Amino acid sequence: MTLTQVWGSLLIFTVCPLLGGLPLISWITYALTRRRLAQVGTGNVSVSAAFYHGGRWVGILAVLSEAAKGIAAVLLARYFFPTEPAWELIALIALVMGRYQLGKGAGTTNVVWGIIAHDWVAALFVFLMGGVGFTIFRNRTSGRFGVLILLPLILALLHPQDPARIVAAIALGGVLAWIYQKIPDDLDLPSKEGKAESQQMFRFFRGERAIISLDSKLDSSKVGQKAATLSQLKGWGYSVATGWVLPPGDDPEPLIKYLPVSDFEPLVVRSSAIGEDSEEASAAGQYRSILNVTSRPALQEAITQVLASYHDPTAVQYRRDLLLRNPSKAKRVQSKSPEDSMAVLIQKQVQGVFSGVAFSRDPISQQGDAVVIEGLPGDATRVVSGRVTPDHYQVYLQESKLQTNGDSSTTPDSPLPTAQIEGSGDLPPALIQEVAVLARQLEDRYHGIPQDIEWSYDGQQLWLLQARPITTLQPIWTRKIAAEVIPGLIRPLTWSINRPLTCGVWGEIFTVVLGTRAQGLDFNETATLHYSRAYFNATLLGQIFRRMGLPPESLEFLTRGAKFSKPPTRSTLQNLPGLLRLLGREWSLETDFESDYQKQFAPILSQLTTQPVSILSPTAILERVDGILEQLKRATYYSILAPLSLSLRQAILRVQDTELDNSQTPEVASLRSLTRLAEDTRHLLRHSPDVYESGAALFANLAEIPDGQSILEQFDQFLDHYGYLSEVATDIAVSTWKEDPRPVRQLFTQLLSYPPPPSAQPTDQSWKAQLVQARLNLKGRVTEVYSQLLAHLRYSFVALETSWQQSGLLSEAGDIFFLEFSEIRRLIADADQELREKLPQIVEKRRSQLEQHHQLASVPSLFYGNEPPSPLTFSASSHSAQQLQGIGASAGQVEGLVKVLTNLQAVTHIDRQTILVVPYTDSGWAPLLARAGGLIAEVGGRLSHGAIVAREYGIPAVMDIQNATQLLRDGQRVRIDGQRGIVEIL
């Protein structure tokens, strides 16, 4: 390269970007119209924006200014590189980048005129081929990208001997395609709001087809959710009547002339407003639908009436009310001007023999498995009009998972799943079943979001008229995972501390993967309390996982070992940077924990153990609590990520549970320690262990015999080491073993009489098992640290409660746990006198509410909507009378007699003939579970504490049997299959 060319390349890479960023369009528009393009419309400073906001002459001058830039860049490169045409395209790339970075435009006009100056023959071919294609197909996006593909192809055909030019052309097309994805398109602005002389040009270059049908893939932001959904369903193969769409602001005349309409082919004209039938708002019944349109004048009038219904007082009031109830949702619904908010949907009318509506979930009860169907002979308008009482049916489908292949083969003659139908009327049972299957299929299609559908049956075919989310059944709340993370009834203080910790850490993990795509997600809404029990927001979690490119069932896989389908390759690649960041955290998890343990966890645990909390003032106790909470933030991170890492490693490496050693988990370690102590004690006793009916009697005897004092000291050492455990380790309102050792003493007594069998120890672990074992050991250490910090947190609040009882602020033990942490702060600061005066009433009200919730026989494991429904009286009809299906957590089969335990305080005689039925399991349950013959739990999965203990001792276990403590009774004989997750009532 000569010195001249070196200077030329420097000029190209400096002058061209500056030339591209020169705001000539902005200056021209402001000089002639006094409008600043950067502050109106999309904010683009482009030729199309100049035409739209400034008019014809402003647009022409803008074209000339940008054309001059493109030609100047090519001529500059040609001057310094007369024999290397590739540099002319490189100059255009530099110009376009400056245009995008500095000038807020795409640079399309620069490139068009630059290519003309570069090679007018190639430009002519591109113009002819691209122009013809755009005129025929009228699709702006495909036209744009088609031209970007045509340019290098034509240059390759004209100049096959110049590969550098072809590569540069490909690079130029790639840069433009990238920019098109980054900036909004001015052609999306409503044409009616632009300058009058520019409107016709805008309508043409917007590239919309003259006739838009439901056979096309439609964008809800342009034609409304109703039309977009029907086009999607039609594409999936569902039976949707032939239809066409008139976009907002378009001239209806071409469509009216095109559509077939007569007495023999009546049409129905319906609204498809932007925001209608969406997850934010249904707008059901707010806009007009006109049936039996049989002539072109009638079609013209029907379109006019539907468009006018946007301004009906009831519709205006609906949108106003929505704005008051939820401003963020209303903003999305009303993001466009009224003239650009109403599309019109026109379809061939279905002559219904039977018609109606269906809800995939009951919108009244907000829970349960029923599909609700309402229908009548005739068309669907009779049902939705509210003037006729339709037949009402509830359908219970027996298949747990319906196939959603999207074809239209589900006709009344097709095989249908077994269904139980409640209700009577004129609708044929086979049709009722088919409608129920359709409703549930669509719910599955839309990620489990309950659907409201309109349908019609013409005597041969079931037609889908409409499908939309049931907005009142959002979000979906589930106990399936939350019941294991924090089981039982939860008091306000526990929740006010646990919720921000848990939600904050989940938000941190998700943000690592999603990056900027996490914007708009409120992680504080991940969990909430209903019936004093924890529920997770399944709707939000589903949105998060879909953004992460993972299947909706991912959360259950990671925490419970449920089936996990493979995520799409495209979404995996899209999230690859975030997934690699998360993988980096997983890889360094053990090292990070060890570092934090040495620097933070061990020192504060040592300090908390040696510093007596009882002598501290309320202010000092609050400082102590803040210090513990600071450490709990980090400990919560490990307590979530360690089990997830364990699950992923075990699933990816396919390591069986029997290949792992659980000895470092607190639940197993404490059990083994207590079992060894029982073995050492057995030979010291004067009488058979069976004679000791209570722990008190045993310990009294130990105090009187030789060497008994040694056993008592070892028992105290056991409590010093494992005293942080409790019935519910994550609930600071529950007493620890250190505070109340009576349950442990009773368990120790029974271990003397009924020692558990020796645990199987895995030998010769493979390298895969060793990798998983490392994470299992880490999980055990994390659980220990996390539980110890929570125990010290509890001790701090108990000390504060004792101080307040002495001063008369609180009256009963446990009162402090009915306060929220923020209220405790205000009481210590003495900053809220009104709260102090009303404290007794507040505590009593919350205590009474907790007791009411405790009296509920069962609560729904899943319900829909923000307002929790009244719990249904549980009916065994939703299950087989003889067989219950859950999750197999520990392999093996066993028969025995049921013993229902709702808490650890109700410990009775338990042996290998006993099948324990419990609401949940936690670390503190471990010694009790080890003596039973089998385990049935209402919640949990393969990684539950109870499941780990069961596998340790070869006890069959089945988890996730909803309402098992109500379904099963003491003394019933059952057979459990821990491999298949089945409980048979014998």
Side-chain angles (χ1 to χ4, degrees), residues 220-377:
S220 62
S221 66
K222 298 178 180 178
V223 298
Q225 190 67 54
K226 182 186 294 182
T229 298
L230 288 176
S231 73
Q232 184 180 57
L233 294 170
K234 194 173 179 64
W236 284 341
Y238 289 98
S239 297
V240 175
T242 302
W244 305 267
V245 181
L246 177 68
D250 272 22
D251 183 3
E253 192 62 31
L255 186 61
I256 294 172
K257 291 180 179 178
Y258 170 82
L259 294 184
V261 55
S262 67
D263 292 336
F264 304 102
E265 287 187 295
L267 301 176
V268 56
V269 181
R270 311 164 67 192
S271 66
S272 184
I274 307 301
E276 182 183 5
D277 288 353
S278 65
E279 291 185 35
E280 284 79 20
S282 68
Q286 300 302 317
Y287 308 119
R288 295 290 302 275
S289 291
I290 300 175
L291 282 70
N292 297 311
V293 177
T294 58
S295 66
R296 300 192 192 285
L299 179 58
Q300 172 73 67
E301 178 61 25
I303 292 173
T304 302
Q305 290 186 34
V306 169
L307 289 172
S309 67
Y310 190 86
H311 303 283
D312 283 352
T314 55
V316 173
Q317 186 63 43
Y318 172 84
R319 297 192 297 272
R320 186 179 295 120
D321 292 342
L322 180 64
L323 179 62
L324 294 174
R325 291 195 307 269
N326 196 322
S328 61
K329 289 183 178 181
K331 184 178 180 180
R332 290 192 290 270
V333 173
Q334 301 192 116
S335 59
K336 295 176 177 288
S337 64
E339 293 75 13
D340 205 45
S341 293
M342 177 67 85
V344 178
L345 172 63
I346 304 167
Q347 288 180 276
K348 289 186 176 181
Q349 185 167 322
V350 175
Q351 301 300 323
V353 177
F354 296 102
S355 302
V357 296
F359 304 93
S360 64
R361 301 288 167 175
D362 190 335
I364 305 303
S365 70
Q366 299 176 244
Q367 57 184 306
D369 296 325
V371 178
V372 178
I373 297 173
E374 294 183 345
L376 282 173

Side-chain angles (χ1 to χ4, degrees), residues 740-753:
D740 184 8
R742 288 175 299 174
V744 187
R745 290 184 176 185
Q746 182 66 33
L747 295 172
F748 177 69
T749 303
Q750 297 204 15
L751 280 175
L752 290 171
S753 302

Side-chain angles (χ1 to χ4, degrees), residues 425-461:
D426 297 325
L427 270 63
L431 176 60
I432 296 172
Q433 286 179 272
E434 188 178 357
V435 172
V437 169
L438 176 61
R440 196 57 59 80
Q441 280 184 348
L442 294 182
E443 178 182 288
D444 291 339
R445 279 282 191 178
Y446 291 108
H447 311 293
I449 297 173
Q451 296 292 304
D452 164 10
I453 70 171
E454 289 185 23
W455 55 271
S456 188
Y457 177 63
D458 63 5
Q460 295 182 334
Q461 178 70 53

Side-chain angles (χ1 to χ4, degrees), residues 595-790:
S595 175
D596 284 342
Y597 182 82
Q598 297 296 333
K599 296 178 181 178
Q600 301 180 42
F601 298 143
I604 193 172
L605 286 173
S606 176
Q607 177 186 348
L608 292 170
T609 303
T610 56
Q611 181 188 56
V613 67
S614 57
I615 63 173
L616 299 179
S617 66
T619 302
I621 291 176
L622 182 59
E623 292 177 358
R624 177 188 175 102
V625 166
D626 286 336
I628 296 173
L629 290 177
E630 187 63 33
Q631 299 303 319
L632 269 173
K633 289 179 183 178
R634 190 62 177 167
T636 302
Y637 167 80
Y638 291 114
S639 73
I640 289 177
L641 206 56
L644 299 188
S645 173
L646 170 63
S647 298
L648 284 170
R649 286 194 176 195
Q650 189 172 0
I652 293 172
L653 298 175
R654 298 183 179 179
V655 174
Q656 301 298 315
D657 295 323
T658 54
E659 301 178 61
L660 302 175
D661 177 14
N662 292 285
S663 61
Q664 293 192 35
T665 60
E667 55 266 38
V668 172
S670 62
L671 176 58
R672 290 186 179 180
S673 178
L674 201 62
T675 301
R676 288 194 298 268
L677 185 58
E679 292 173 354
D680 294 340
T681 305
R682 194 173 294 110
H683 71 278
L684 298 177
L685 299 176
R686 299 170 182 171
H687 308 286
S688 169
D690 295 342
V691 305
Y692 299 104
E693 297 181 357
S694 67
L698 171 65
F699 278 77
N701 181 263
L702 286 174
E704 297 174 358
I705 62 175
D707 297 326
Q709 191 61 39
S710 173
I711 298 298
L712 294 177
E713 290 175 359
Q714 292 180 58
F715 187 85
D716 289 339
Q717 292 172 3
F718 171 86
L719 287 179
D720 286 340
H721 192 82
Y722 294 106
Y724 63 84
L725 295 174
S726 70
E727 178 183 347
V728 185
T730 53
D731 190 352
I732 61 173
V734 177
S735 298
T736 63
W737 288 356
K738 179 180 179 180
E739 296 170 283
D740 184 8
R742 288 175 299 174
V744 187
R745 290 184 176 185
Q746 182 66 33
L747 295 172
F748 177 69
T749 303
Q750 297 204 15
L751 280 175
L752 290 171
S753 302
Y754 305 96
S759 57
Q761 299 291 335
T763 57
D764 298 327
Q765 287 183 324
S766 65
W767 67 269
K768 293 182 179 180
Q770 290 175 8
L771 284 175
V772 179
Q773 183 69 55
R775 279 296 177 265
L776 179 58
N777 295 342
L778 177 63
K779 176 178 177 288
R781 292 190 63 199
V782 168
T783 301
E784 184 176 8
V785 169
Y786 184 69
S787 300
Q788 286 178 345
L789 286 170
L790 285 176

Side-chain angles (χ1 to χ4, degrees), residues 842-858:
I842 292 173
V843 171
E844 180 57 34
K845 179 180 178 181
R846 293 174 182 174
R847 187 186 291 273
S848 174
Q849 183 182 55
L850 186 78
E851 182 58 31
Q852 291 175 16
H853 292 162
H854 179 71
Q855 297 301 322
L856 296 174
S858 65

Side-chain angles (χ1 to χ4, degrees), residues 502-512 518 523 526 544:
T502 304
C503 294
V505 172
W506 275 116
E508 178 186 349
I509 293 172
F510 292 139
T511 303
V512 166
F523 296 111
T526 305
I544 291 170

